[in-house]
Amino acid sequence: MPSVRTLQKTIQAVEFKTGFNSNVLSTMKKAMETTKPIDKLCAIITDEMSLKEALRYDEAADRVEGFEDFGRGQRTHYVANYVSAFMVRGLFTKWKQLFGYCFTSGPIPHARLQSMLLDGIRELRKAGMECLVFICDQGAGNRAMLSRLGVTKDQPFFCVDGVRVFCLWDPPHLIKNIRNNWRHHGFTLDGAEITWDILEDLYAYDSRQDIRLCCRLTKKHVHLPPFASMRVRFATQVLSHSVAVGIKTLADIKGLTGQRQQNYQAAARFCENFNGLFDCFNSKQLKDSQKLKCAITDASSHFAFLDTCMDWLPRLRLAGGKANKKQIPCVEGWQHNILCLKMLWSDLQERHGVSFLLTNRLNQDCLENAYSNIRGM
């Protein structure tokens, strides 16, 4: 191999302009020529990040950078303050590649996002990849775009040139939104009220004990200082099995009866169910001591659990007022994801003969980590 410095100079000579990068796609096309068919199955992921507004003169290109730019000469006079990126990752092998991006003034318009998404899927197919899944968060622009494509809770896919692409909402974003709505509003389920006060009561009691019920539960989990609400770990540790057990135990210790006992029991089931639901969408290995953390197979217990979730999720509502009459997007998003996962699994079995699926590949983490690295530099 050449020296590290030679490789660095070679990489620096490759232009990575806005739009979809032809150099990256041509390199991926060559790699796909010697790749197994199952390793060509992939997911396309998009996300946006806010930027500081700034203009800079690029001497090499002889132009001012920092304006809205969609690639292929499509620039405007507006100063950019957002970037939207597109990444592709393998569903059954550990490969990922950022292959396109654009700068926008404000969040990217959903019509423009739709056009770029469809172009990106077609470019990946030309490069020899089969894009089966599209993953994004529940931002207003993403919801509007998928609505334009005909995607609904009951039809979680759209077609590109006659081939279905399944749409999944990013599970880490969904679990954070469930926690945030629990904290700010509370939920009702079958007449029981699931309020944040129950978690605060648990922490106030448990934090004074020598031997704790929920050793991972801290003040940050309950009171959420600035930026803590963005941490997925804080959400999953609140909506966990240990917190569910702690709430049940606290109800017994206090000797609660009547409506308060029902509320505590409902809160415990709420935490337990979302703990299992997130595990179903976060499996990282074929086998695990916890059944729902295993890969999805024909013999796994995932689908029986997901069926029970589809029974109680439609009855989950925000507490109080008009919000109680309509479901919020994150609750509908979980129902959407469950149906989408079932349909994706059937498609993978019928068309590709797969025997297992690691659901940890069905999230935005790889693109979030890329953004984190860019911010760090």
Side-chain angles (χ1 to χ4, degrees), residues 77-311:
H77 63 279
Y78 298 108
V79 178
N81 52 19
Y82 273 84
V83 60
S84 292
F86 292 84
M87 179 175 276
V88 59
R89 73 179 302 181
L91 291 179
F92 294 93
T93 48
K94 289 185 178 181
W95 63 267
K96 59 184 178 181
Q97 180 61 55
L98 189 68
F99 72 103
Y101 70 100
C102 65
F103 294 120
T104 61
S105 176
I108 184 170
H110 57 268
R112 174 74 70 171
L113 180 60
Q114 176 182 339
S115 175
M116 293 193 70
L117 173 63
L118 299 181
D119 288 346
I121 292 172
R122 292 188 176 107
E123 291 290 345
L124 292 175
R125 288 178 181 171
K126 289 178 185 177
M129 287 159 275
E130 186 170 353
C131 186
L132 295 181
V133 184
F134 169 61
I135 304 168
C136 65
D137 59 33
Q138 282 192 305
N142 293 332
R143 295 206 307 270
M145 178 196 65
L146 292 184
S147 179
R148 283 169 58 98
L149 290 170
V151 176
T152 64
K153 183 175 66 175
D154 300 317
Q155 182 181 307
F157 62 86
F158 61 91
C159 294
V160 180
D161 301 329
V163 180
R164 286 192 297 182
V165 178
F166 296 95
C167 304
L168 276 164
W169 302 117
D170 183 43
H173 276 88
L174 291 181
I175 201 71
K176 285 191 294 184
N177 288 338
I178 290 292
R179 188 275 317 277
N180 293 342
N181 278 285
W182 182 21
R183 182 183 178 220
H184 294 300
H185 306 288
F187 289 94
T188 62
L189 180 62
D190 299 333
E193 295 185 0
I194 305 168
T195 62
W196 193 254
D197 294 342
I198 296 174
L199 184 70
E200 292 178 341
D201 191 17
L202 172 63
Y203 176 71
Y205 171 83
D206 195 41
S207 60
R208 297 193 302 267
Q209 307 305 310
D210 294 330
I211 301 177
R212 298 189 58 190
L213 293 169
C214 307
C215 57
R216 292 184 178 179
L217 196 64
T218 67
K219 187 177 181 180
K220 287 185 178 180
H221 292 82
V222 179
H223 299 291
L224 291 176
F227 301 106
S229 61
M230 300 173 66
R231 301 283 295 275
V232 179
R233 178 169 60 88
F234 286 163
T236 56
Q237 288 174 347
V238 164
L239 297 166
S240 65
H241 172 73
S242 61
V243 169
V245 172
I247 292 173
K248 282 184 180 180
T249 305
L250 182 62
D252 292 338
I253 291 172
K254 289 192 169 187
L256 300 180
T257 58
Q259 186 62 47
R260 286 197 68 196
Q261 183 188 31
Q262 292 180 23
N263 294 344
Y264 274 63
Q265 294 296 331
R269 290 194 301 271
F270 176 83
C271 293
E272 185 69 44
N273 287 338
F274 275 110
N275 174 71
L277 194 52
F278 187 74
D279 285 348
C280 286
F281 284 86
N282 195 41
S283 58
K284 300 178 182 178
Q285 51 193 10
L286 187 59
K287 294 183 179 180
D288 194 280
S289 58
Q290 300 182 42
K291 293 181 179 180
L292 295 180
K293 287 187 176 181
C294 299
I296 287 180
T297 65
D298 273 338
S300 64
S301 56
H302 295 82
F303 295 111
F305 175 77
L306 293 175
D307 287 340
T308 63
C309 290
M310 288 297 283
D311 178 57

